[in-house]
Amino acid sequence: MTEQKFIDKNSPGRRRNDKSHKAILQAALELLEQDGYRALTIEAIAARAGVGKQTIYRWWPSKAAVVLEAFTANAAMQIPLPDTGSLRQDLQEFFASTLHAGGERTALVLRSLMAEALLDPEFADQFKHIFIYARRNALGEVLTRGVERGQLTANVDIDFLLDLVYGVIWYRVLVQHAALNEELMEQMVDMIMRYSEK
Amino acid sequence: MTEQKFIDKNSPGRRRNDKSHKAILQAALELLEQDGYRALTIEAIAARAGVGKQTIYRWWPSKAAVVLEAFTANAAMQIPLPDTGSLRQDLQEFFASTLHAGGERTALVLRSLMAEALLDPEFADQFKHIFIYARRNALGEVLTRGVERGQLTANVDIDFLLDLVYGVIWYRVLVQHAALNEELMEQMVDMIMRYSEK
Amino acid sequence: MTEQKFIDKNSPGRRRNDKSHKAILQAALELLEQDGYRALTIEAIAARAGVGKQTIYRWWPSKAAVVLEAFTANAAMQIPLPDTGSLRQDLQEFFASTLHAGGERTALVLRSLMAEALLDPEFADQFKHIFIYARRNALGEVLTRGVERGQLTANVDIDFLLDLVYGVIWYRVLVQHAALNEELMEQMVDMIMRYSEK
Amino acid sequence: MTEQKFIDKNSPGRRRNDKSHKAILQAALELLEQDGYRALTIEAIAARAGVGKQTIYRWWPSKAAVVLEAFTANAAMQIPLPDTGSLRQDLQEFFASTLHAGGERTALVLRSLMAEALLDPEFADQFKHIFIYARRNALGEVLTRGVERGQLTANVDIDFLLDLVYGVIWYRVLVQHAALNEELMEQMVDMIMRYSEK
DNA sequence: GACTAACCGAGACGGTACGTCCCGTCTTAAG
DNA sequence: CTTAAGACGGGACGTACCGTCTCGGTTAGTC
């Protein structure tokens, strides 16, 4: 997914070693959980994966890219798009799966990726397109259908609502002053429904 | 405010050099704007400030702490607490001054500080208490008065509203997909007012 | 000879860069002559050799070790062992080549190495084995042959004679109150010959 | 003795604090024995002596000067000049007191002072005049009397003999391959006596 | 007895070098 | 041609001391 190189491989020479590939992703995640993102280094990943540094540099542009791929490769990425006919129910299901996808492990990775995105504009682009906008668009679809069905006022600013929802979620993930939980999700559904015609 | 060390100074010994102190804060901000936080180093700050590295390490635990103090020392920190009797007007004034306080320069610093907070739990604590919670509490005060005046429903969850507001603000500052502007502030006032009694 | 690490090199990995190796030794000697041993720093050697500091630390335990290798790598180390049948003549030749090997440049280096040996027991061991004892043993061989040939009394204490000879030489090199010259060498030959049978 | 400053003291002002003075010398020696000369720092001396750094810099030009004064202040400096009428006996007594004056503690200090002298020409001058030449001259006096009494050949080169004697002594102190002991002293007396008329 | 100059402890200051860590690149032998 | 290994030039780290400079406070004379 983050793979830049197109692998045709009618050419001679050894092919990409899938074992190393996986070992690298695995090692990155393990070290991240063990010592935190700040202490994560390419050298440490290579050492733990039993891999040469060059092998990492050959396939990824930065350690953040490794972590991003390790993260997106995990199942956690799937966000089913509910379409029950009821906006309230769609939202409840969407938020439920969002909640379900993210534990503390996930939050740790997200904080690391966001930190990197804040420091490296190049990575920020990747991160936004692969992760942030993908989520936004999914929820945007749900809300748009809500408008189409007349369950939200026609003049509602969907982008503002998306900012509200993901704003809160990221804010809690980053600041860690309160957990992401069902109560929050319920409150968000309620908040959004206040934008129904009346 | 950000000073960790309690300076009694009936003790002997040379006092802290205020000129150097200020030069360090100034140098940090300048370099930050010039080259970005990633490229900011203690050595560069010391060099530009014309100061020994030890003088920085003597007074701050990390470069992030320097930036935080430089940031909070700037006037930009003042958030007047409006109390007009009208919740809507209080909110409008509060948001207006929030907006006014932060230009792109401010956003740049905030992204840097947040990145650091995400990577360094120790710094995160400082940052939250000095900046994040201070802001939250201020707005919390405004909202509480709104409840007391009966301008918000008694059972509203103020913490949730604070998360919504600061969630959006941080989300835009961090993701940079849209600007903080008056329209947004207006929308937030409107959103909050939807929690009025009827 | 001074190489500590045993280099097998059937192992993979880039080999030691011989150009850098030599540049380091050269730079060390140049800086030593320019500014003196006290002013000699690893950083300066690295800078002048156009080399990373780590490359020096990788191969030598201290700057003294660099200087020692630079010194011993120079031809100046060769001490031919004369064996003419005549003790007096052997001594004359041995002292002549000793004298010839060492100019003021050499004395400068020897003073530096001795200073370091006095301050660093670990280095002292190396220095003694590579340099001091090597010289001692060579002259010891000459004297032993003198005894075997009956040109020195059988009960002479060769170690004492060695201490006398190298004591004087080092004393003059270190204290610098008088030069090492042919007259001195002649006097030493004469002194030793006083230990002949009659 | 090593005092540079001429103290007239008709002027007002506090006089030198003798307690601090002694504490500094004491602290220097203790630290030297504990950790070696390399690890000896002005800061450590000041700390252990309970003294400000400035107080040291006010009275001594370098840490070596402190050690030198601490050393010379010790009784160990007294070398009685024997004059028994017999060269052999004079030498025996002279060497005996030399031996007696110097234990391992002394040797440690001498190695430190010599190391410093090798690295700092300014200190070398002081050291030579205060210590090295003083000893040389004393023994020179003994030998001169030996010549005058006809117990050494008239054409003997006294300076050469002095180099032999102190060469050996320093060589053993510095290289530490053999102890200074009575046997050595006996051998040196014997060696010198070989320069008697016949 | 007050004045005053020098000394004292503490400790901050600008600076230099230390030895270490990692970066991203390059060069091997092996597969 | 890729891989693991590992040396390379480079840059910043955080620390240790250097020798200097202020501080408040003490001490001992001279006036």
Side-chain angles (χ1 to χ4, degrees):
Chain A
M1 189 176 199
T2 48
E3 220 66 333
Q4 288 84 1
K5 312 210 177 184
F6 182 40
I7 298 178
D8 189 3
K9 284 305 150 190
N10 283 13
S11 62
R14 200 205 281 210
R15 306 309 160 69
R16 181 172 188 172
N17 183 335
D18 196 54
K19 196 126 83 179
S20 293
H21 184 172
K22 280 174 181 154
I24 289 165
L25 298 180
Q26 182 61 24
L29 283 185
E30 285 170 14
L31 288 170
L32 179 55
E33 288 192 28
Q34 246 178 55
D35 308 323
Y37 188 78
R38 167 132 296 175
L40 187 65
T41 67
I42 297 272
E43 296 212 328
I45 296 172
R48 174 180 272 250
V51 138
K53 284 199 290 175
Q54 199 61 261
T55 302
I56 298 180
Y57 284 111
R58 197 167 2 251
W59 302 107
W60 292 275
S62 70
K63 65 176 177 170
V66 176
V67 173
L68 179 57
E69 184 179 334
F71 178 59
T72 55
N74 271 3
M77 286 295 292
Q78 312 314 331
I79 10 156
L81 246 192
D83 190 2
T84 63
S86 153
L87 174 59
R88 176 174 289 273
Q89 195 166 344
D90 281 2
L91 289 171
Q92 282 168 337
E93 290 189 16
F94 187 88
F95 287 153
S97 49
T98 294
L99 202 57
H100 187 262
E104 184 44 38
R105 220 182 306 274
T106 304
L108 173 68
V109 176
L110 284 178
R111 282 192 290 272
S112 304
L113 292 173
M114 178 57 90
E116 189 70 29
L118 292 175
L119 297 173
D120 177 350
E122 207 131 347
F123 176 73
D125 275 356
Q126 267 191 67
F127 181 51
K128 286 184 215 167
H129 283 98
I130 289 174
F131 189 75
I132 293 187
Y133 295 155
R135 297 288 178 124
R136 254 182 101 80
N137 290 341
L139 181 55
E141 180 64 26
V142 170
L143 294 178
T144 300
R145 286 207 278 259
V147 173
E148 285 165 356
R149 290 196 212 99
Q151 293 163 334
L152 285 181
T153 62
N155 65 343
V156 73
D157 182 340
I158 290 183
D159 279 324
F160 173 63
L161 286 185
L162 292 173
D163 284 356
L164 280 173
V165 170
Y166 282 111
V168 169
I169 292 174
W170 273 107
Y171 187 65
R172 289 211 176 176
V173 167
L174 301 183
V175 180
Q176 295 177 264
H177 62 298
L180 287 182
N181 54 27
E182 293 184 9
E183 188 198 352
L184 176 69
M185 298 310 179
E186 202 53 53
Q187 289 175 305
M188 289 206 295
V189 171
D190 178 63
M191 182 270 293
I192 292 170
M193 296 311 292
R194 282 173 189 253
Y195 286 86
S196 59
E197 205 57 72
K198 151 125 23 177
Chain B
M1 188 180 195
T2 48
E3 221 65 334
Q4 288 85 1
K5 314 210 174 184
F6 183 37
I7 296 178
D8 191 1
K9 276 312 155 185
N10 282 18
S11 69
R14 189 175 179 175
R15 293 351 161 43
R16 181 172 191 175
N17 183 336
D18 195 54
K19 201 126 82 176
S20 294
H21 183 168
K22 282 172 181 153
I24 289 165
L25 299 181
Q26 183 61 24
L29 284 186
E30 285 170 13
L31 288 170
L32 179 53
E33 289 191 28
Q34 242 178 60
D35 308 323
Y37 188 78
R38 171 132 290 176
L40 186 66
T41 67
I42 297 270
E43 290 206 333
I45 296 173
R48 175 181 271 251
V51 138
K53 281 201 285 177
Q54 199 61 262
T55 300
I56 298 181
Y57 285 110
R58 183 151 32 230
W59 301 107
W60 293 277
S62 69
K63 64 178 176 171
V66 176
V67 173
L68 178 57
E69 186 181 331
F71 178 60
T72 55
N74 272 1
M77 285 296 290
Q78 312 314 332
I79 10 157
L81 247 191
D83 192 0
T84 62
S86 153
L87 174 61
R88 175 174 289 272
Q89 194 168 342
D90 282 1
L91 289 172
Q92 281 168 338
E93 290 188 14
F94 187 90
F95 288 154
S97 51
T98 295
L99 201 58
H100 185 261
E104 183 45 36
R105 219 181 306 273
T106 305
L108 173 69
V109 176
L110 286 178
R111 281 193 291 273
S112 304
L113 293 173
M114 178 58 88
E116 190 70 28
L118 293 176
L119 296 173
D120 177 350
E122 207 127 352
F123 175 73
D125 274 355
Q126 265 193 66
F127 180 51
K128 286 184 215 167
H129 283 98
I130 288 173
F131 188 76
I132 293 186
Y133 294 155
R135 297 289 177 125
R136 254 182 101 80
N137 290 342
L139 180 56
E141 180 64 26
V142 170
L143 295 178
T144 301
R145 285 206 280 257
V147 173
E148 286 165 355
R149 290 197 214 97
Q151 293 163 334
L152 286 180
T153 63
N155 65 345
V156 72
D157 183 340
I158 288 182
D159 279 324
F160 172 64
L161 287 184
L162 293 173
D163 284 356
L164 279 173
V165 170
Y166 282 111
V168 170
I169 292 175
W170 274 107
Y171 187 65
R172 291 213 174 171
V173 167
L174 300 183
V175 180
Q176 295 177 264
H177 61 297
L180 288 183
N181 53 27
E182 293 185 9
E183 189 198 352
L184 176 68
M185 298 309 179
E186 203 53 52
Q187 289 175 305
M188 290 207 293
V189 172
D190 178 63
M191 181 270 292
I192 292 170
M193 295 311 293
R194 281 172 188 257
Y195 286 87
S196 60
E197 203 59 70
K198 183 186 32 59
Chain C
M1 185 181 197
T2 48
E3 221 65 330
Q4 289 86 0
K5 315 210 173 184
F6 183 37
I7 296 177
D8 190 2
K9 276 311 153 187
N10 283 19
S11 69
R14 189 175 179 175
R15 292 350 163 42
R16 182 172 190 176
N17 182 336
D18 195 54
K19 199 124 83 175
S20 294
H21 183 168
K22 282 172 180 154
I24 289 165
L25 299 180
Q26 183 61 26
L29 284 185
E30 285 170 14
L31 288 169
L32 178 54
E33 290 192 27
Q34 243 178 61
D35 309 323
Y37 188 79
R38 168 132 296 174
L40 186 64
T41 67
I42 298 268
E43 290 205 334
I45 296 173
R48 176 181 271 250
V51 138
K53 281 200 286 178
Q54 198 62 262
T55 300
I56 299 181
Y57 285 109
R58 186 156 24 234
W59 299 107
W60 293 277
S62 69
K63 64 178 176 171
V66 176
V67 173
L68 178 56
E69 185 180 332
F71 178 60
T72 56
N74 273 2
M77 286 297 291
Q78 313 312 333
I79 11 156
L81 247 192
D83 192 0
T84 61
S86 152
L87 175 60
R88 176 174 288 274
Q89 195 166 341
D90 282 1
L91 288 172
Q92 282 167 339
E93 289 187 15
F94 187 89
F95 288 153
S97 50
T98 293
L99 202 57
H100 186 261
E104 183 46 36
R105 221 180 305 271
T106 304
L108 173 68
V109 176
L110 285 178
R111 281 193 290 274
S112 304
L113 293 173
M114 178 56 90
E116 190 70 29
L118 293 175
L119 296 173
D120 177 350
E122 207 126 352
F123 175 74
D125 275 355
Q126 266 193 66
F127 180 51
K128 287 185 214 166
H129 283 98
I130 288 173
F131 188 75
I132 293 187
Y133 295 156
R135 297 288 178 124
R136 255 182 99 82
N137 291 341
L139 180 56
E141 180 64 26
V142 169
L143 295 178
T144 301
R145 285 207 279 260
V147 173
E148 285 165 356
R149 292 197 210 98
Q151 293 164 335
L152 285 180
T153 63
N155 65 346
V156 73
D157 183 340
I158 288 182
D159 279 323
F160 173 64
L161 286 185
L162 292 172
D163 284 356
L164 280 173
V165 170
Y166 282 110
V168 169
I169 291 175
W170 273 108
Y171 187 64
R172 290 213 175 172
V173 167
L174 301 183
V175 179
Q176 294 177 264
H177 62 299
L180 289 183
N181 54 26
E182 293 184 11
E183 188 198 352
L184 175 69
M185 299 308 181
E186 203 53 53
Q187 288 175 305
M188 290 207 292
V189 172
D190 178 63
M191 182 270 292
I192 293 170
M193 295 311 293
R194 282 171 188 256
Y195 286 88
S196 61
E197 203 60 68
K198 184 187 35 51
Chain D
M1 191 176 199
T2 48
E3 221 64 334
Q4 288 84 0
K5 313 209 176 183
F6 182 38
I7 298 177
D8 189 2
K9 281 306 149 191
N10 282 15
S11 65
R14 190 177 179 175
R15 305 313 167 64
R16 183 171 190 176
N17 183 336
D18 196 53
K19 197 127 83 177
S20 293
H21 184 171
K22 280 173 180 155
I24 289 165
L25 298 180
Q26 183 60 25
L29 283 185
E30 285 170 13
L31 288 170
L32 178 54
E33 288 192 29
Q34 247 178 56
D35 309 322
Y37 188 77
R38 167 130 299 174
L40 187 65
T41 66
I42 297 272
E43 296 214 326
I45 297 172
R48 174 181 272 250
V51 139
K53 284 200 289 176
Q54 199 63 261
T55 302
I56 299 180
Y57 285 110
R58 185 151 32 229
W59 302 107
W60 292 276
S62 70
K63 65 177 178 171
V66 176
V67 174
L68 180 56
E69 184 180 332
F71 177 60
T72 56
N74 273 4
M77 285 296 292
Q78 312 313 330
I79 9 155
L81 248 191
D83 191 1
T84 63
S86 152
L87 176 60
R88 176 174 290 273
Q89 194 165 343
D90 282 1
L91 288 171
Q92 282 168 337
E93 291 189 12
F94 187 89
F95 287 153
S97 49
T98 293
L99 201 57
H100 186 261
E104 184 46 37
R105 218 180 307 273
T106 305
L108 173 70
V109 176
L110 285 178
R111 282 193 289 273
S112 304
L113 293 173
M114 178 58 90
E116 189 71 28
L118 292 175
L119 296 173
D120 177 351
E122 206 131 349
F123 176 73
D125 275 356
Q126 266 191 69
F127 181 51
K128 286 184 213 167
H129 283 99
I130 289 174
F131 189 75
I132 293 187
Y133 295 154
R135 296 289 178 124
R136 254 181 101 81
N137 290 342
L139 180 55
E141 181 64 26
V142 169
L143 294 178
T144 300
R145 286 206 279 257
V147 174
E148 285 166 356
R149 292 196 211 99
Q151 293 163 335
L152 285 180
T153 63
N155 65 345
V156 72
D157 183 340
I158 289 183
D159 279 323
F160 173 63
L161 286 185
L162 292 173
D163 283 356
L164 280 173
V165 171
Y166 282 111
V168 169
I169 292 174
W170 273 107
Y171 187 65
R172 291 213 175 173
V173 167
L174 301 183
V175 180
Q176 295 178 263
H177 62 298
L180 288 184
N181 55 25
E182 292 185 10
E183 189 197 353
L184 176 68
M185 298 311 180
E186 202 53 53
Q187 288 176 304
M188 290 207 293
V189 171
D190 178 62
M191 182 269 291
I192 291 169
M193 296 311 293
R194 281 172 189 255
Y195 287 88
S196 61
E197 206 58 73
K198 164 170 334 243

